[in-house]
């Protein structure tokens, strides 16, 4: 029996195990939406296409599945761009389906036409324009395969309206045949042997962990690896929750707002083992002064990440679990030497401990004004251990990374690579859909929150019990901090002085709104929010000019930190 | 760490599909890599196209270029011909002014460089010259004083020397 293009699309989604999609209807996807109720696929109607993509992203990051978003052509499609670029930079597995004007109209500046395949070419792992309904099932199969394998990423399928209406026999391919796409999973044995030798020769080793460790679910292997060689672990923002912060070997985050001891450890290490990390400029600071004394082993599934920014002494392309497993096995062949390594590197760990004691991660508390870091510590104290925390972008994001002390993988959803304001609320929404039994919190700033605040409507409509914590300093805080430190306090366009009543805003959408304006109210508000069913917005009126510290000024070396403002 | 900028000729075997050329060209422009010339046409297997790209950059940039090209889903194979033996040919069509005084000289130059005259009018000759890019440069240098009206060059195409093909 023949099926139409839109039915084939939905059948194919079922074949891929998709049970939830995020989207927004429109003229060129109206047929897909017409067929949707006939399929056991839940559709979450966001209030903006950008939010649909961020929600699919949050869903994917929290659940480990592929996120799916649907938008119409033209403005619907272009609204997905920020979401797609965010997912691309952070390697989230995602398939975005956009409608397109009928094929005979393509290129004619038809109503709501945009060349979305052209627009998203540089921000997708791959993209497709489907010209013939006979190709559709194969393309969907390929799209999911590409999105979730190798270094994951977003794939876009642009589906013209006439292709949705055309019909053909539905056969879902069993295998994917892509002769140009063969990710390397298995680490080269000779390189692994060399790595083991370099590790055994090290005196001051450090593991540097990025988002790849989460993407490949390598947390346990990472803990085993670091414990075996007794190497301290620094993580990037994206690698944050992949290694438990409470672990004695954890030094927390490195880089621009990293801990003093993490940055000092990297600067003084004689061996840096980079695991699923890509040496972003926010991590390295001035490249010439990054890990100047260290030999670098770089393990990554994506060869383009290797030697892109820094010199690498030993590259190993492969899947992290495979490569770390092989290195651990190799090391275990000589347990005497491994024991020796742990003894020889003991002074190194003591040195790091003294750095930690000298400049611990801390802030000046106050009885009169709410310190943002205090709110984050309290949220951590009062939430479940496996709570999922999403953030927006800015000061609150860095304070969350510094003070939340994550302990479980896939519990920290943040826009690391692109730095997308407005990411957190829809990402939290998606995470809550993907993990209905988990506690999901969006930690936000007042600036970021206003970039996608309309998603309060989505939370209320689906009764998603996301709790939102706005650290309101009436500023675009991070830009203000830079203006204070580097532009002589010339606060150009960063004060958000219009006093918004966030409590009323929440109530207008049918959510609960709570507010704390003094430190003694903080705990009560968080408790009340967690006890209240459904979505709750908490507004904390925090210290207006609190800064994120320590800080490495742009262009400085990572050990040239400003410790306090 | 800075190494010398050098010219590189790269062959890329890609799926012969709509949009692949823009994907490759976009990769270069989006990452700030330079394309000096690019020629592309289907191969014996018409599901594949072969691109010949001349680019320049230091060792690090070249490594990124080849890795990024390899990363494209449509790319089957990438070969950098630097430090290998290869044959290289480019074609140019050159239109020169031909007056009473210069007609014989133009024909002599075409003859010396084993080119062909492909169009003649009372006031012009159009010739085709094939060879390594250096040879084409030489012809252009000789014809410049005579008066070149228009030039079109194809950009080089290359094949590795020896019996082995791209597929091994």
């Amino acid at each position: 029996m023949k099926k139409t293009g839109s039915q084939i699309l939905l059948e194919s989604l079922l074949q891929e195990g998709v049970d939830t999609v995020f989207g927004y209807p429109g003229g060129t996807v109206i047929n897909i939406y017409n067929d949707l109720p006939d399929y056991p696929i839940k559709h979450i109607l966001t209030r903006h296409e950008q939010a649909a993509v961020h929600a699919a992203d949050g869903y994917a990051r929290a659940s480990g599945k592929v996120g799916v978003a649907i938008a119409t052509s033209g403005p619907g499609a272009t609204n997905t761009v920020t979401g797609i670029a965010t997912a691309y930079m952070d390697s989230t597995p995602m398939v975005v389906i956009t409608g397109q004007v009928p094929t005979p109209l393509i290129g004619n500046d038809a109503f709501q036409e945009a060349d979305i395949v052209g627009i998203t070419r540089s921000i997708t792992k791959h993209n497709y324009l489907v010209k013939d309904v006979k190709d559709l099932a194969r393309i969907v199969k390929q799209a999911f395969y590409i999105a979730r394998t190798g270094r994951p990423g977003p794939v876009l399928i642009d589906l013209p309206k006439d292709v949705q209406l055309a019909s053909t026999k539905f056969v879902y391919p069993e295998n994917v045949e892509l002769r140009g796409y063969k990710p390397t999973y298995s680490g080269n044995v000779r390189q692994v042997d060399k790595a083991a030798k370099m590790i055994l020769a090290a005196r001051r080793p450090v593991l540097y962990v990025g988002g790849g460790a989460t993407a490949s679910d390598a947390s346990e292997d990472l803990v085993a690896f670091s414990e075996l060689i007794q190497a301290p672990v620094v993580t990037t923002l994206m690698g944050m929750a992949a290694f438990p912060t409470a672990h004695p070997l954890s030094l927390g985050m490195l880089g621009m707002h990293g801990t003093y001891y993490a940055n000092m450890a990297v600067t003084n290490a004689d061996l840096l083992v980079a695991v699923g990390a890509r040496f972003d400029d926010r991590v390295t600071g001035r490249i010439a002064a990054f890990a100047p004394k260290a030999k670098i082993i770089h393990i990554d599934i994506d060869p383009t990440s290797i030697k892109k920014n820094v010199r690498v002494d030993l590259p190993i392309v492969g899947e992290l679990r495979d490569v770390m497993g092989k290195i651990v096995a190799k090391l275990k062949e000589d347990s005497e030497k491994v024991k020796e390594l742990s003894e020889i590197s003991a002074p190194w760990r003591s040195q790091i401990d003294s750095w930690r004691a000298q400049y611990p991660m801390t802030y000046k508390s106050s009885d009169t004004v709410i310190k943002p870091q205090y709110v984050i510590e309290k949220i951590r104290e009062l939430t479940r251990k496996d709570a999922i925390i999403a953030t927006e972008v800015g000061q609150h994001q860095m304070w969350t990374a510094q003070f939340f002390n994550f302990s479980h993988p896939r519990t920290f959803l943040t826009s690391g690579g692109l730095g997308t304001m407005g990411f957190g609320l829809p990402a939290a929404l998606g995470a809550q859909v993907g993990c209905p039994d988990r506690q999901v919190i969006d930690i936000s700033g007042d600036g970021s929150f206003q970039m996608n605040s309309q998603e309060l409507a989505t939370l209320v409509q689906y009764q998603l019990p996301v709790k939102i914590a706005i650290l309101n300093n009436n500023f675009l805080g991070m830009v203000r901090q830079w203006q204070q430190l580097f532009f002589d306090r010339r606060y150009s366009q960063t004060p958000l002085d219009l006093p918004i009543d966030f409590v009323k805003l929440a109530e207008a959408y049918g959510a609960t709104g709570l507010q704390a304006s003094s430190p003694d109210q903080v705990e009560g508000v968080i408790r009340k929010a967690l006890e209240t069913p459904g979505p709750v917005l908490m507004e904390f009126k925090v210290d207006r000019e609190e800064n994120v510290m320590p800080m490495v000024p742009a262009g400085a070396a990572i050990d040239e930190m400003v410790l306090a403002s | 760490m800075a190494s010398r900028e050098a010219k590189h000729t790269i062959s890329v075997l890609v799926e012969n599909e709509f949009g692949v050329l823009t994907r490759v060209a976009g990769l270069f422009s989006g990452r700030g890599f330079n394309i000096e010339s690019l020629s592309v046409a289907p191969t014996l297997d018409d599901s594949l196209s072969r691109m010949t790209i001349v680019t320049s950059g230091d060792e690090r940039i070249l490594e990124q270029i080849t890795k990024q090209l390899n990363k494209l889903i449509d790319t089957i194979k990438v070969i950098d011909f630097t430090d290998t033996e290869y044959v290289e040919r480019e074609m140019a069509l050159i239109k020169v002014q031909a007056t009473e005084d210069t007609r014989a000289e133009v024909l002599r130059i075409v003859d010396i460089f084993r080119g062909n005259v492909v169009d003649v009018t009372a006031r012009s000759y159009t010739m085709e010259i094939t060879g390594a890019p250096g040879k084409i440069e030489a012809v252009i240098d000789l014809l410049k004083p005579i008066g070149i009206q228009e030039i079109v060059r194809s950009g080089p195409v290359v094949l590795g020397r020896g019996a082995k093909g791209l597929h091994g």
Side-chain angles (χ1 to χ4, degrees):
Chain A
M1 200 183 78
K2 285 187 170 182
K3 289 188 186 299
T4 64
S6 64
Q7 288 169 331
I8 289 171
L9 172 72
L10 294 164
E11 292 282 355
S12 303
L13 293 182
L14 285 185
Q15 293 285 331
E16 290 297 330
V18 174
D19 54 20
T20 307
V21 298
F22 302 85
Y24 204 98
T28 60
V29 285
I30 200 163
N31 300 92
I32 299 171
Y33 277 88
N34 187 50
D35 290 328
L36 192 58
D38 300 335
Y39 290 82
I41 296 176
K42 183 165 40 167
H43 180 273
I44 304 291
L45 174 72
T46 56
R47 295 303 187 267
H48 192 295
E49 289 90 349
Q50 182 191 345
V53 179
H54 288 326
D57 188 328
Y59 173 92
R61 290 188 205 216
S63 70
K65 296 189 235 173
V66 179
V68 180
I70 301 176
T72 194
S73 64
T78 54
N79 276 346
T80 65
V81 167
T82 303
I84 295 172
T86 304
Y88 182 68
M89 290 290 273
D90 290 343
S91 309
T92 306
M94 183 191 288
V95 173
V96 177
I97 295 145
T98 49
Q100 183 54 278
V101 301
T103 43
L105 294 184
I106 291 177
N108 289 357
D109 299 332
F111 177 66
Q112 294 197 329
E113 182 190 355
D115 170 20
I116 197 66
V117 169
I119 290 169
T120 59
R121 196 166 281 132
S122 60
I123 52 164
T124 48
K125 189 171 172 188
H126 196 58
N127 61 16
Y128 295 92
L129 169 64
V130 187
K131 287 173 146 180
D132 187 333
V133 71
K134 291 194 184 75
D135 298 330
L136 181 55
R138 171 183 60 83
I139 285 174
V140 176
K141 176 91 184 175
Q142 287 179 354
F144 275 84
Y145 178 72
I146 291 169
R148 67 160 77 94
T149 53
R151 177 179 178 173
V155 179
L156 180 133
I157 302 172
D158 198 26
L159 194 53
K161 193 173 163 115
D162 56 329
V163 179
Q164 294 168 35
L165 289 167
S167 53
T168 189
K169 198 171 160 217
F170 173 67
V171 183
Y172 203 63
E174 280 187 23
N175 300 309
V176 173
E177 282 168 37
L178 287 162
R179 47 188 170 174
Y181 178 68
K182 305 251 179 325
T184 306
Y185 290 102
S186 184
N188 180 292
V189 180
R190 253 180 298 170
Q191 299 291 85
V192 165
D193 288 355
K194 277 189 205 161
K197 280 200 189 95
M198 284 169 73
I199 289 166
L200 289 175
R203 296 294 173 267
R204 301 186 306 278
V206 169
L207 295 191
Y208 153 49
V209 174
T214 304
S216 58
D217 292 317
S219 287
E220 280 178 32
D221 308 74
L222 194 58
V223 172
F225 183 38
S226 68
E227 284 177 352
L228 181 72
I229 63 173
Q230 282 295 298
V233 178
V234 299
T235 74
T236 67
L237 182 70
M238 291 299 295
M240 202 83 238
F243 192 84
T245 315
H247 194 287
L249 286 168
S250 169
L251 308 184
M253 184 167 70
L254 84 162
M256 183 174 272
H257 292 297
T259 63
Y260 176 78
Y261 35 100
N263 285 357
M264 291 303 284
V266 169
T267 304
N268 290 284
D270 69 349
L271 178 72
L272 194 66
V273 186
V275 183
R278 60 189 177 87
F279 296 88
D280 183 89
D281 56 283
R282 285 293 188 266
V283 157
T284 60
R286 184 154 46 87
I287 293 268
F290 180 74
K293 300 166 188 168
K295 286 211 157 68
I296 298 179
I297 301 173
H298 192 173
I299 308 168
D300 208 294
I301 198 157
D302 177 8
T304 64
S305 283
I306 295 173
K307 293 192 196 166
K308 189 169 61 185
N309 299 329
V310 297
R311 74 196 153 77
V312 168
D313 299 280
L314 181 69
I316 310 181
V317 176
E319 200 267 329
L320 297 184
R321 281 183 302 177
D322 174 87
V323 176
M324 283 194 289
K326 280 181 181 159
I327 295 176
V328 165
K330 185 73 198 166
L331 289 169
K332 279 184 174 164
E333 284 175 14
D334 200 343
S335 55
E336 276 304 306
K337 273 206 174 147
V338 173
K339 215 176 130 202
E340 216 175 292
L341 165 70
S342 148
E343 283 159 16
I344 291 172
S345 59
W348 170 234
R349 289 187 295 279
S350 316
Q351 167 72 69
I352 289 170
D353 285 341
S354 65
W355 282 325
R356 197 199 300 254
Q358 197 182 354
Y359 295 111
M361 203 60 224
T362 184
Y363 64 94
K364 216 181 271 176
S365 55
S366 164
D367 294 336
T368 51
V369 58
I370 302 178
K371 290 287 181 177
Q373 301 95 327
Y374 172 71
V375 177
I376 285 158
E377 285 181 337
K378 278 287 156 198
I379 293 175
R380 169 178 170 75
E381 203 180 297
L382 298 171
T383 48
R384 285 185 230 153
K385 285 281 169 274
D386 67 345
I388 296 167
I389 306 298
T391 74
E392 313 283 341
V393 166
Q395 287 185 310
H396 68 275
Q397 177 190 32
M398 289 300 123
W399 285 317
T400 306
Q402 291 177 331
F403 292 96
F404 199 85
N405 295 342
F406 291 91
S407 50
H408 294 280
R410 298 192 181 280
T411 54
F412 183 40
L413 318 181
T414 196
S415 170
L418 197 66
T420 308
M421 291 173 72
F423 170 80
L425 177 57
L429 183 168
Q432 188 76 79
V433 172
C435 307
D437 300 328
R438 302 270 289 276
Q439 206 165 45
V440 181
I441 319 271
D442 173 36
I443 298 179
S444 180
D446 50 318
S448 278
F449 181 75
Q450 292 179 66
M451 284 221 174
N452 265 322
S453 58
Q454 78 286 344
E455 296 311 316
L456 278 169
T458 313
L459 290 184
V460 174
Q461 180 181 338
Y462 297 96
Q463 275 303 298
L464 298 167
V466 171
K467 315 300 176 201
I468 302 155
I470 300 177
L471 307 181
N472 185 1
N473 54 12
N474 293 109
F475 265 124
L476 298 177
M478 192 59 101
V479 186
R480 184 212 56 76
Q481 175 170 336
W482 282 48
Q483 288 172 334
Q484 177 194 337
L485 300 176
F486 311 118
F487 292 86
D488 203 18
R489 289 183 187 264
R490 193 171 156 96
Y491 292 165
S492 172
Q493 302 303 316
T494 45
L496 295 174
D497 275 336
L498 179 74
I500 292 166
D501 191 331
F502 284 109
V503 173
K504 270 195 190 156
L505 180 74
E507 287 168 354
Y509 280 106
T512 306
L514 303 169
Q515 190 193 67
S517 50
S518 64
D520 58 330
Q521 296 171 334
V522 169
E523 186 167 336
V525 161
I526 299 170
R527 281 189 189 282
K528 177 129 195 251
L530 295 177
E531 284 161 11
T532 308
V536 181
L537 182 152
M538 300 169 266
E539 182 197 6
F540 299 95
K541 291 187 170 294
V542 298
D543 190 350
R544 289 202 73 197
E545 295 190 68
E546 181 69 13
N547 286 337
V548 181
M549 289 295 160
M551 177 178 192
V552 177
I558 58 169
D559 63 340
E560 296 167 354
M561 278 164 283
V562 181
L563 291 163
S565 54
Chain B
M1 199 159 140
S3 55
R4 209 166 49 84
E5 290 244 334
K7 201 182 271 193
H8 292 258
T9 307
I10 298 170
S11 272
V12 192
L13 205 60
V14 295
E15 297 284 353
N16 183 12
E17 268 175 26
F18 146 89
V20 177
L21 178 60
T22 44
R23 230 178 260 286
V24 170
L27 186 157
F28 277 77
S29 62
R31 293 187 182 268
F33 303 146
N34 174 44
I35 296 185
E36 209 158 286
S37 79
L38 189 160
S39 63
V40 52
T43 63
L44 200 57
D45 172 352
D46 62 9
S47 72
L48 295 176
S49 283
R50 182 166 172 145
M51 297 183 178
T52 309
I53 302 170
V54 180
T55 182
S56 56
D58 61 20
E59 202 184 309
R60 190 185 63 86
I61 289 179
L62 250 293
E63 185 173 334
Q64 268 301 309
I65 290 175
T66 45
K67 281 177 171 177
Q68 295 285 356
L69 284 170
N70 264 312
K71 189 175 172 177
L72 293 178
I73 307 287
D74 292 323
T75 302
I76 316 285
K77 193 157 188 174
V78 180
I79 299 179
D80 181 356
F81 280 98
T82 316
D83 303 329
T84 62
E85 291 287 319
Y86 60 94
V87 284
E88 180 183 29
R89 289 293 179 273
E90 180 175 4
M91 191 174 88
L93 294 173
I94 307 171
K95 190 179 288 183
V96 289
Q97 292 162 2
T99 61
E100 274 306 305
D101 301 347
T102 58
R103 296 189 88 88
E105 175 67 6
V106 170
L107 286 179
R108 213 166 19 242
I109 293 170
V110 172
D111 195 37
I112 290 167
F113 284 91
R114 277 176 278 175
N116 293 309
V117 173
V118 291
D119 185 46
V120 187
T121 71
R123 288 183 297 140
S124 71
Y125 276 126
T126 300
M127 67 193 76
E128 63 164 74
I129 302 284
T130 311
K135 174 178 163 186
I136 291 168
E137 298 291 341
V139 179
I140 291 169
D141 281 349
L142 284 171
L143 291 174
K144 256 187 202 158
I146 297 171
I148 296 177
Q149 285 188 315
E150 204 176 349
I151 290 180
V152 59
R153 299 176 64 165
S154 65
V157 290
V158 304
L159 278 183
R161 280 193 187 275
K164 248 170 64 171
L166 189 58
H167 295 291

